């Protein structure tokens, strides 16, 4: 039987168990890495019912990750209070639907998209926090800026008025080696230490490395991730995915 369905029928105890395990894993991975800063656990909600999402919020989840505009708009009124970040592929013509409903957009990988985010943020009198998505595994089928172009791309984004660059996001290839995570950490640290010339106090707060999903979050924490994005590891298997 489909796991999502059976979980719904037997209550939410599976989410509680998973949540507790993930929290313990985070603690352990941070201790192993000698880290004393913070790693945020993001609950990725695609295909998950609002009831299950709300149960996770009751357990202590404070941050949700959305990657489908329509699904988010359909579900958001049913959610209890939580911060929401947009993490999925985003078409420029959909920016207007989410710009006032999320506090960060993780998936910025084109100047056109960044321009539209800046324009729409301006209309709402706000500055939008964004991450630049890096295709660290250099996979042809995936979105994201190449590691080599990331610094120049950051500079282009920083030229826009209503955007604050918070860091980088990546979706490493499944089962990739730890070197890929290490390369991502190195890239993040290098831009942080030596920002583009047009970085200023207003538009540059490079404190976020969004890396790590259900299968690789402990490795991601070892290599400096500050937000791990967990879907199936928390809520159970999805019937379908778009990534
Ligand atoms: C679905 C998704 C996740 C979570 O994936 P899991 O393997 O289910 O934890 C994380 N990040 C993005 C961008 C996603 O689309």
């Amino acid at each position: 039987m489909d796991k999502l369905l059976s979980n719904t029928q037997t209550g939410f105890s599976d989410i509680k168990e998973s949540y507790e395990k993930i929290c313990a894993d985070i603690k352990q991975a941070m201790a192993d890495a000698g880290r004393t800063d913070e790693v945020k656990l993001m609950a990725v909600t695609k295909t998950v019912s609002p009831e299950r999402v709300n149960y996770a919020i009751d357990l202590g989840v404070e941050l949700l990750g959305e990657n489908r505009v329509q699904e988010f708009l359909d579900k958001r009124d049913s959610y209890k209070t939580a911060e929401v970040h947009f993490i999925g592929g985003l078409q420029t013509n959909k920016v207007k639907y989410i710009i006032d409903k999320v506090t960060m957009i993780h998936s910025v990988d084109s100047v056109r998209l960044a321009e539209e985010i800046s324009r729409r943020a301006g209309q709402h009198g706000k500055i939008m926090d964004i991450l630049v998505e890096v295709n660290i595994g250099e996979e042809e089928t995936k979105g994201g800026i190449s590691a080599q172009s990331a610094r120049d791309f950051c500079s282009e984004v920083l030229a826009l008025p209503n955007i604050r660059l918070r860091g980088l996001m990546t979706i490493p290839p499944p089962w990739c080696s730890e070197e890929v995570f290490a390369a991502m950490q190195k890239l993040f640290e290098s831009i942080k230490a030596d920002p583009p010339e047009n970085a200023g106090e207003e538009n540059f707060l490079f404190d976020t490395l969004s890396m790590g999903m259900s299968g690789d979050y402990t490795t991601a924490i070892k290599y400096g991730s500050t937000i791990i994005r967990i879907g199936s590891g928390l809520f159970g298997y999805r019937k379908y995915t778009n990534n």
Side-chain angles (χ1 to χ4, degrees):
M1 189 199 273
D2 174 65
K3 184 144 181 259
L4 206 60
L5 197 63
S6 67
N7 285 342
T8 310
Q9 286 168 343
T10 55
F12 300 149
S13 62
D14 60 305
I15 302 177
K16 186 163 191 282
E17 252 173 60
S18 303
Y19 177 74
E20 283 165 2
K21 178 183 184 302
I22 294 163
C23 289
D25 286 349
I26 292 172
K27 250 185 152 173
Q28 186 63 51
M30 288 192 73
D32 291 347
R35 289 181 58 179
T36 53
D37 57 334
E38 200 199 341
V39 174
K40 268 193 206 149
L41 166 58
M42 167 194 283
V44 176
T45 65
K46 60 184 180 243
T47 79
V48 180
S49 71
E51 292 73 28
R52 286 174 72 76
V53 173
N54 285 337
Y55 183 79
I57 292 171
D58 283 341
L59 289 173
V61 167
E62 294 171 342
L63 175 62
L64 306 181
E66 298 287 332
N67 55 352
R68 294 167 179 173
V69 171
Q70 192 54 53
E71 185 181 334
F72 170 48
L73 296 177
D74 290 344
K75 280 156 59 173
R76 65 183 289 267
D77 286 341
S78 313
Y79 289 160
K80 294 187 173 176
T81 309
E83 195 177 348
V84 178
H85 290 179
F86 196 83
I87 62 171
L90 183 56
Q91 290 169 280
T92 46
N93 63 354
K94 301 257 171 85
V95 171
K96 57 178 177 284
Y97 300 119
I98 63 155
I99 194 76
D100 57 337
K101 301 177 181 70
V102 303
T103 55
M104 196 185 291
I105 298 174
H106 288 219
S107 43
V108 177
D109 65 353
S110 79
V111 174
R112 258 188 75 224
L113 176 59
E115 282 170 349
E116 177 66 1
I117 292 169
S118 177
R119 191 170 78 88
R120 294 292 179 178
Q123 288 175 350
H124 286 270
K126 71 187 270 184
I127 305 289
M128 180 55 81
D129 281 339
I130 65 142
L131 304 178
V132 166
E133 182 173 351
V134 176
N135 185 352
I136 195 71
E138 293 176 10
E139 292 173 285
E140 274 175 27
T141 55
K142 265 190 197 156
I145 305 296
S146 74
Q148 300 89 300
S149 332
R151 198 166 180 284
D152 286 346
F153 182 79
C154 286
S155 179
E156 286 189 77
V157 162
L158 288 166
L160 298 166
N162 305 311
I163 276 181
R164 181 166 65 165
L165 181 58
R166 293 291 298 269
L168 305 177
M169 178 272 224
T170 194
I171 308 173
W175 308 292
C176 68
S177 72
E178 286 198 21
E179 275 122 74
V180 174
F181 292 82
M184 192 65 203
Q185 180 178 37
K186 202 172 150 202
L187 178 66
F188 176 73
E189 293 298 340
S190 75
I191 295 173
K192 188 176 175 174
D194 180 23
E197 265 163 27
N198 56 350
E201 260 168 47
E202 306 274 285
N203 65 355
F204 186 84
L205 179 64
F206 215 72
D207 62 354
T208 305
L209 178 55
S210 169
M211 172 166 83
M213 314 202 302
S214 296
D216 58 16
Y217 62 90
T218 53
T219 308
I221 291 168
K222 179 173 172 187
Y223 292 101
S225 168
T226 66
I227 299 183
I228 55 170
R229 308 179 309 265
I230 310 291
S232 52
L234 185 61
F235 294 115
Y237 294 112
R238 291 181 291 273
K239 265 191 211 165
Y240 57 95
T241 63
N242 70 340
N243 281 303

